[in-house]
Amino acid sequence: MKIRSHSESHLVELDDGSRWQIFPGDLDLTLNWKPETEITVVPAEDDVGSHVLVGAGAKVRVIPEGESWPVREVKNVLKEG
């Protein structure tokens, strides 16, 4: 899939219409994403995000737009760096 919109740093919309919230600790990984970047959506195997967007050499944890991040897990991950 390709990126339809990434106008806000923490949100990305793919050309299939799906909209994803990017994990705060992964925002820097999306800086090289361009509209032509090929993105693959895969189920996540961790406690933070429900899925991972893979593209341009980066793996970015995400949740569907409108869902809430699991606060305790996010704090733990951000603390660990």
Side-chain angles (χ1 to χ4, degrees), residues 7-37:
S7 57
E8 295 182 59
S9 61
H10 67 289
L11 294 174
V12 64
E13 180 178 359
L14 302 179
D15 61 5
D16 68 349
S18 62
R19 295 176 54 91
W20 303 93
Q21 297 179 88
I22 299 169
F23 179 67
D26 293 347
L27 289 174
D28 61 322
L29 301 174
T30 68
L31 295 176
N32 292 326
W33 285 4
K34 299 182 176 9
E36 62 273 6
T37 300

Side-chain angles (χ1 to χ4, degrees), residues 64-81:
E65 182 183 35
E67 289 190 11
S68 298
W69 292 102
V71 176
R72 180 175 293 144
E73 288 82 354
V74 169
K75 285 183 180 179
N76 288 337
V77 170
L78 293 176
K79 237 187 265 188
E80 294 170 6

